[in-house]
Amino acid sequence: GAVVSQHPSWVICKSGTSVKIECRSLDFQATTMFWYRQFPKQSLMLMATSNEGSKATYEQGVEKDKFLINHASLTLSTLTVTSAHPEDSSFYICSAYGTDTGELFFGEGSRLTVL
Amino acid sequence: DAKTTQPPSMDCAEGRAANLPCNHSTISGNEYVYWYRQIHSQGPQYIIHGLKNNETNEMASLIITEDRKSSTLILPHATLRDTAVYYCIVRVASHGNKLVFGAGTILRVKS
Protein backbone atom coordinates (compact mmCIF):
# COMPACT_ATOMS: atom_id res chain seq x y z
CA GLY A 1 0.00 0.00 0.00
CA ALA A 2 0.86 3.64 -0.19
CA VAL A 3 3.29 5.00 2.38
CA VAL A 4 2.91 8.23 4.31
CA SER A 5 5.86 9.34 6.39
CA GLN A 6 6.05 11.94 9.13
CA HIS A 7 9.03 13.73 10.58
CA PRO A 8 9.97 14.13 13.34
CA SER A 9 8.41 11.19 15.14
CA TRP A 10 8.80 13.01 18.42
CA VAL A 11 9.85 16.49 19.45
CA ILE A 12 10.27 18.35 22.72
CA CYS A 13 10.26 22.12 22.71
CA LYS A 14 10.08 25.04 25.07
CA SER A 15 6.92 27.02 25.55
CA GLY A 16 6.69 29.92 23.11
CA THR A 17 8.68 28.32 20.32
CA SER A 18 7.34 27.07 17.00
CA VAL A 19 7.55 23.50 15.78
CA LYS A 20 7.22 22.21 12.24
CA ILE A 21 6.01 18.70 11.42
CA GLU A 22 6.40 17.28 7.92
CA CYS A 23 4.14 14.81 6.19
CA ARG A 24 5.30 13.15 2.98
CA SER A 25 3.66 10.77 0.55
CA LEU A 26 6.55 8.55 -0.46
CA ASP A 27 5.36 6.74 -3.55
CA PHE A 28 2.39 8.69 -4.76
CA GLN A 29 1.15 12.21 -5.23
CA ALA A 30 -1.34 13.58 -2.74
CA THR A 31 -3.39 16.61 -3.66
CA THR A 32 -5.20 16.36 -0.35
CA MET A 33 -3.80 15.54 3.06
CA PHE A 34 -5.45 15.61 6.46
CA TRP A 35 -4.06 16.55 9.85
CA TYR A 36 -5.35 15.00 13.06
CA ARG A 37 -4.57 15.53 16.70
CA GLN A 38 -4.96 12.91 19.38
CA PHE A 39 -4.81 13.41 23.14
CA PRO A 40 -4.12 10.47 25.48
CA LYS A 41 -6.94 7.92 25.67
CA GLN A 42 -8.98 9.84 23.12
CA SER A 43 -9.86 9.30 19.49
CA LEU A 44 -8.36 11.17 16.57
CA MET A 45 -9.71 14.65 16.04
CA LEU A 46 -9.57 16.11 12.55
CA MET A 47 -7.87 19.49 12.56
CA ALA A 48 -7.69 20.51 8.92
CA THR A 49 -7.68 19.48 5.31
CA SER A 50 -4.54 20.43 3.44
CA ASN A 51 -4.90 21.14 -0.26
CA GLU A 52 -1.95 21.36 -2.62
CA GLY A 53 -1.55 24.86 -3.96
CA SER A 54 -4.34 26.42 -1.95
CA LYS A 55 -5.29 27.34 1.58
CA ALA A 56 -6.07 24.66 4.11
CA THR A 57 -9.59 24.14 5.37
CA TYR A 58 -9.78 24.12 9.15
CA GLU A 59 -12.34 22.34 11.30
CA GLN A 60 -14.46 24.36 13.64
CA GLY A 61 -12.59 25.37 16.77
CA VAL A 62 -9.10 24.94 15.29
CA GLU A 63 -7.11 28.18 15.19
CA LYS A 64 -5.65 28.65 11.73
CA ASP A 65 -3.10 31.19 12.95
CA LYS A 66 -1.94 28.77 15.60
CA PHE A 67 -1.66 25.74 13.37
CA LEU A 68 -0.16 26.82 10.07
CA ILE A 69 -0.50 24.35 7.23
CA ASN A 70 1.46 24.53 4.00
CA HIS A 71 0.98 22.08 1.13
CA ALA A 72 3.48 23.39 -1.37
CA SER A 73 4.01 20.23 -3.39
CA LEU A 74 2.14 17.05 -4.28
CA THR A 75 4.19 15.03 -1.83
CA LEU A 76 4.66 17.32 1.15
CA SER A 77 2.42 19.02 3.66
CA THR A 78 3.73 20.74 6.78
CA LEU A 79 2.03 21.63 10.05
CA THR A 80 3.63 24.38 12.12
CA VAL A 81 2.51 24.80 15.69
CA THR A 82 3.27 28.45 16.42
CA SER A 83 4.06 29.77 19.87
CA ALA A 84 3.53 26.35 21.35
CA HIS A 85 2.20 25.94 24.87
CA PRO A 86 1.97 22.87 27.09
CA GLU A 87 -1.68 22.36 26.14
CA ASP A 88 -0.52 21.85 22.54
CA SER A 89 1.32 18.72 23.63
CA SER A 90 -0.32 15.93 21.66
CA PHE A 91 0.10 13.23 19.03
CA TYR A 92 -0.21 14.75 15.56
CA ILE A 93 -1.04 12.45 12.65
CA CYS A 94 -1.30 13.16 8.95
CA SER A 95 -2.98 11.12 6.23
CA ALA A 96 -3.35 11.06 2.48
CA TYR A 97 -5.32 9.15 -0.09
CA GLY A 98 -3.72 6.48 -2.19
CA THR A 99 -4.07 6.96 -5.89
CA ASP A 100 -6.57 4.25 -6.72
CA THR A 101 -9.12 2.83 -4.31
CA GLY A 102 -10.03 5.63 -1.96
CA GLU A 103 -8.08 4.18 0.93
CA LEU A 104 -6.72 6.74 3.33
CA PHE A 105 -3.21 6.02 4.57
CA PHE A 106 -1.79 7.43 7.77
CA GLY A 107 1.63 8.51 8.86
CA GLU A 108 3.31 7.12 11.94
CA GLY A 109 2.44 10.19 13.97
CA SER A 110 4.53 12.89 15.63
CA ARG A 111 4.47 13.28 19.39
CA LEU A 112 4.90 16.87 20.52
CA THR A 113 5.78 17.71 24.09
CA VAL A 114 5.87 21.37 25.06
CA LEU A 115 7.66 22.14 28.30
CA ASP B 1 -21.16 11.17 7.08
CA ALA B 2 -23.28 8.70 9.03
CA LYS B 3 -22.45 8.06 12.67
CA THR B 4 -21.44 4.68 13.99
CA THR B 5 -21.88 2.95 17.33
CA GLN B 6 -19.34 0.49 18.65
CA PRO B 7 -18.91 -1.21 22.03
CA PRO B 8 -16.19 0.53 24.04
CA SER B 9 -14.19 -2.61 24.66
CA MET B 10 -14.00 -6.34 24.00
CA ASP B 11 -11.80 -9.22 25.06
CA CYS B 12 -10.79 -12.16 22.90
CA ALA B 13 -8.74 -15.26 23.56
CA GLU B 14 -5.61 -15.68 21.50
CA GLY B 15 -6.20 -17.95 18.53
CA ARG B 16 -9.93 -17.43 18.55
CA ALA B 17 -11.94 -15.34 16.15
CA ALA B 18 -12.55 -11.74 17.19
CA ASN B 19 -15.91 -10.38 16.06
CA LEU B 20 -16.24 -6.62 16.35
CA PRO B 21 -19.72 -5.20 15.76
CA CYS B 22 -20.65 -1.78 14.41
CA ASN B 23 -24.04 -0.16 14.06
CA HIS B 24 -24.59 2.40 11.32
CA SER B 25 -28.35 2.63 11.05
CA THR B 26 -28.33 5.98 9.20
CA ILE B 27 -25.94 4.92 6.47
CA SER B 28 -26.69 6.28 3.02
CA GLY B 29 -26.73 4.26 -0.17
CA ASN B 30 -23.43 5.63 -1.40
CA GLU B 31 -21.54 5.34 1.88
CA TYR B 32 -18.97 2.65 2.40
CA VAL B 33 -18.07 0.97 5.68
CA TYR B 34 -14.38 1.33 6.55
CA TRP B 35 -12.42 -0.28 9.34
CA TYR B 36 -9.14 1.00 10.72
CA ARG B 37 -7.18 0.05 13.79
CA GLN B 38 -4.67 1.91 15.89
CA ILE B 39 -2.02 0.22 17.93
CA HIS B 40 -0.73 2.29 20.81
CA SER B 41 1.26 5.36 19.77
CA GLN B 42 1.07 4.58 16.06
CA GLY B 43 -0.92 6.00 13.18
CA PRO B 44 -4.14 4.21 12.21
CA GLN B 45 -3.85 1.23 9.89
CA TYR B 46 -6.35 0.49 7.14
CA ILE B 47 -7.97 -2.93 7.49
CA ILE B 48 -10.82 -3.33 5.05
CA HIS B 49 -13.82 -1.60 3.53
CA GLY B 50 -17.03 -2.58 1.75
CA LEU B 51 -20.29 -1.26 0.36
CA LYS B 52 -22.83 -4.07 0.60
CA ASN B 53 -21.14 -7.34 -0.24
CA ASN B 54 -19.06 -9.21 2.29
CA GLU B 55 -15.34 -8.62 1.84
CA THR B 56 -12.25 -10.58 2.81
CA ASN B 57 -8.58 -9.80 2.63
CA GLU B 58 -5.42 -11.10 4.25
CA MET B 59 -6.18 -9.29 7.49
CA ALA B 60 -9.87 -9.69 8.10
CA SER B 61 -13.39 -10.28 6.85
CA LEU B 62 -16.17 -7.74 6.77
CA ILE B 63 -19.75 -8.90 7.03
CA ILE B 64 -22.40 -6.30 6.20
CA THR B 65 -26.05 -7.02 6.90
CA GLU B 66 -28.48 -6.98 4.02
CA ASP B 67 -30.10 -3.74 5.19
CA ARG B 68 -26.58 -2.27 5.66
CA LYS B 69 -27.49 -0.94 9.10
CA SER B 70 -24.73 -2.89 10.81
CA SER B 71 -21.54 -4.75 10.11
CA THR B 72 -19.04 -7.04 11.80
CA LEU B 73 -15.30 -7.10 11.43
CA ILE B 74 -13.88 -10.57 11.89
CA LEU B 75 -10.26 -11.31 12.74
CA PRO B 76 -10.24 -15.08 12.16
CA HIS B 77 -7.37 -16.03 14.46
CA ALA B 78 -6.59 -13.21 16.83
CA THR B 79 -3.04 -12.80 18.09
CA LEU B 80 -1.65 -10.66 20.88
CA ARG B 81 -0.48 -8.19 18.23
CA ASP B 82 -4.09 -7.56 17.26
CA THR B 83 -4.66 -5.75 20.55
CA ALA B 84 -5.61 -2.26 19.40
CA VAL B 85 -8.41 0.27 19.07
CA TYR B 86 -10.66 -0.59 16.12
CA TYR B 87 -12.57 2.15 14.36
CA CYS B 88 -15.62 1.64 12.18
CA ILE B 89 -16.30 4.59 9.89
CA VAL B 90 -18.87 5.15 7.16
CA ARG B 91 -18.23 7.62 4.39
CA VAL B 92 -18.62 8.28 0.73
CA ALA B 93 -15.67 6.71 -1.06
CA SER B 94 -14.80 9.83 -2.96
CA HIS B 95 -11.30 11.11 -3.28
CA GLY B 96 -10.78 14.03 -0.94
CA ASN B 97 -13.48 13.16 1.56
CA LYS B 98 -12.34 13.52 5.13
CA LEU B 99 -12.50 10.67 7.62
CA VAL B 100 -14.10 11.39 10.98
CA PHE B 101 -13.25 8.99 13.79
CA GLY B 102 -15.58 7.90 16.56
CA ALA B 103 -14.53 6.42 19.87
CA GLY B 104 -13.80 2.93 18.52
CA THR B 105 -13.57 -0.42 20.30
CA ILE B 106 -10.59 -1.39 22.41
CA LEU B 107 -9.88 -5.03 21.59
CA ARG B 108 -7.75 -6.88 24.12
CA VAL B 109 -6.42 -10.24 22.95
CA LYS B 110 -5.42 -12.37 25.91
CA SER B 111 -3.28 -15.48 26.09
Side-chain angles (χ1 to χ4, degrees), chain A residues 1 4 6 15 17 19 23 26 31 38 43 68 97 105 110 112:
Chain A
V4 175
Q6 285 183 238
S15 185
T17 61
V19 175
C23 177
L26 296 186
T31 55
Q38 185 176 34
S43 186
L68 301 179
Y97 281 95
F105 296 94
S110 299
L112 170 64

Side-chain angles (χ1 to χ4, degrees), chain B residues 1-14:
Chain B
D1 289 344
K3 292 184 178 179
T4 62
T5 303
Q6 298 177 253
S9 65
M10 293 181 64
D11 290 341
C12 176
E14 187 179 20

Side-chain angles (χ1 to χ4, degrees), chain A residues 31-32 34 36 38 42-44 46 49 59 91 93 97-109 111, chain B residues 34 36 38-46 49 87 89 91-104:
Chain A
T31 55
T32 303
F34 302 94
Y36 293 83
Q38 185 176 34
Q42 294 186 23
S43 186
L44 286 78
L46 181 65
T49 302
E59 296 298 304
F91 193 50
I93 307 167
Y97 281 95
T99 51
D100 50 3
T101 61
E103 297 171 25
L104 192 61
F105 296 94
F106 289 81
E108 315 95 320
R111 186 164 300 283
Chain B
Y34 282 76
Y36 287 80
Q38 186 180 25
I39 296 169
H40 183 63
S41 294
Q42 296 183 22
Q45 177 189 22
Y46 166 83
H49 75 282
Y87 297 99
I89 302 166
R91 57 174 278 268
V92 176
S94 172
H95 221 276
N97 275 9
K98 57 190 179 184
L99 217 61
V100 178
F101 285 79

Side-chain angles (χ1 to χ4, degrees), chain B residues 50-96:
Chain B
L51 182 62
K52 51 185 176 182
N53 296 324
N54 297 338
E55 301 288 344
T56 296
N57 62 21
E58 64 278 5
M59 289 183 68
S61 295
L62 174 61
I63 308 299
I64 303 174
T65 58
E66 193 168 342
D67 62 8
R68 303 210 322 123
K69 294 183 183 298
S70 66
S71 60
T72 301
L73 177 74
I74 301 173
L75 307 179
H77 305 286
T79 70
L80 298 178
R81 290 183 297 178
D82 292 322
T83 293
V85 181
Y86 287 77
Y87 297 99
C88 168
I89 302 166
V90 293
R91 57 174 278 268
V92 176
S94 172
H95 221 276

Side-chain angles (χ1 to χ4, degrees), chain A:
Chain A
V3 177
V4 175
S5 179
Q6 285 183 238
H7 178 81
S9 55
W10 60 269
V11 57
I12 301 173
C13 70
K14 293 182 179 180
S15 185
T17 61
S18 294
V19 175
K20 180 184 287 187
I21 301 170
E22 295 184 346
C23 177
R24 294 181 185 274
S25 55
L26 296 186
D27 52 0
F28 65 99
Q29 294 182 333
T31 55
T32 303
M33 291 184 174
F34 302 94
W35 286 96
Y36 293 83
R37 178 169 57 180
Q38 185 176 34
F39 293 109
K41 298 187 185 299
Q42 294 186 23
S43 186
L44 286 78
M45 185 195 79
L46 181 65
M47 298 176 67
T49 302
S50 171
N51 302 297
E52 188 269 336
S54 64
K55 292 183 178 180
T57 304
Y58 290 82
E59 296 298 304
Q60 190 173 6
V62 178
E63 301 174 60
K64 61 181 180 181
D65 296 330
K66 172 80 172 172
F67 300 99
L68 301 179
I69 292 173
N70 183 279
H71 195 153
S73 78
L74 288 171
T75 59
L76 174 65
S77 174
T78 60
L79 169 69
T80 301
V81 183
T82 62
S83 187
H85 289 95
E87 57 266 30
D88 298 322
S89 297
S90 188
F91 193 50
Y92 292 88
I93 307 167
C94 72
S95 64
Y97 281 95
T99 51
D100 50 3
T101 61
E103 297 171 25
L104 192 61
F105 296 94
F106 289 81
E108 315 95 320
S110 299
R111 186 164 300 283
L112 170 64
T113 301
V114 184
L115 302 177

